[in-house]
């Protein structure tokens, strides 16, 4: 389902650790700082030991920023349950976890039919082989570089072998990374071949988020350019 051009760099801040009482303002701040999309973390207290928000909040946010791409990171059990509600709320990408899903092909089709891009997330302990049989059915693979549930954790560099494997075998796939990504860790992420970069505390906690976003983008764009020259 992916295109046939090399996927470009996109930076998607996670607002998990921002001031959620001013969600729209925090999101606008990210967009004005140069974000390409917003990564919105949905947690249900079952799949992960934490709670955030669901589709009612997304529905309120959408009219305030009609053109922004919303990537819903669904850290929930029974991800099939929220597809219609998220599509109706205005989500653009529905990223579910394979560990929470019983019928991966059915869920991928359901998401696609509802008009959203299909994202498949893998927790650190889940091998990349789990999703290979369904590679025609998804648009984005999300490689978690922390255990999902909380912002501000340490980046797991050993997850880069999954990113490298996917980039080698699926040159046109959107590969997203999430967890502990910031100025100190972006270079290995970029070298491995990820092009959709989620970053939470490193961006929202910075005094100048635009500087951090520019730095992340620079690293990824350089790596993409380098890999294209090597072909
Ligand atoms: C963790 C979330 C992440 C998190 C990233 O479960 O999925 O999106 O907010 O935050 P940092 O970049 O601080 O690890
Ligand atoms: Zn996330």
């Amino acid at each position: 389902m992916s295109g046939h051009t090399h996927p470009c760099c996109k930076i998607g801040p996670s607002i998990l650790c921002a001031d959620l009482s001013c969600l729209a303002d925090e999101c606008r701040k990210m967009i004005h700082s140069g974000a390409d999309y917003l990564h919105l973390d949905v947690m249900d207290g079952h799949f992960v030991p934490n709670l955030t928000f669901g589709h009612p909040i997304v529905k309120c946010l959408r009219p305030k920023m009609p053109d922004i791409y919303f990537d819903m990171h669904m850290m929930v059990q029974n991800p099939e349950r929220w597809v219609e509600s998220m599509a109706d709320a205005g989500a653009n990408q529905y990223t579910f976890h394979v560990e929470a899903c019983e019928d991966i092909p059915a869920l991928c089709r359901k998401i696609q039919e509802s008009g959203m891009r299909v994202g498949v997330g893998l927790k650190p302990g889940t091998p990349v082989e789990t999703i290979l049989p369904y590679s025609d059915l998804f648009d984005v693979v999300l490689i978690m570089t922390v255990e999902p549930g909380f912002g501000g954790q340490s980046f797991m560099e050993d997850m880069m072998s999954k990113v490298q494997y996917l980039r080698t075998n699926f040159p046109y796939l959107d590969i997203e990374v999430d967890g502990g990504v910031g100025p100190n860790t972006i270079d290995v992420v970029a070298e491995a071949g990820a092009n959709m970069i989620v970053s939470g505390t490193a961006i929202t906690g910075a005094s100048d988020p635009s500087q951090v976003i520019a730095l992340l983008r620079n690293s990824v764009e350089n790596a993409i350019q380098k890999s294209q020259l090597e072909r």
Side-chain angles (χ1 to χ4, degrees), residues 194-207:
N195 68 296
M196 287 180 75
I197 310 299
V198 177
S199 177
T201 47
I203 295 178
T204 56
S207 55

Side-chain angles (χ1 to χ4, degrees), residues 14 16 39-43 71-75 97 142 144 148-149 176-179 198:
S14 155
L16 182 61
H39 176 91
L40 302 174
D41 291 300
V42 175
M43 303 187 189
D71 165 28
M72 304 311 310
H73 183 189
M74 302 300 294
M75 289 168 272
H97 271 272
L142 167 64
M144 289 305 297
E176 186 175 36
V177 285
D178 180 15
V198 177

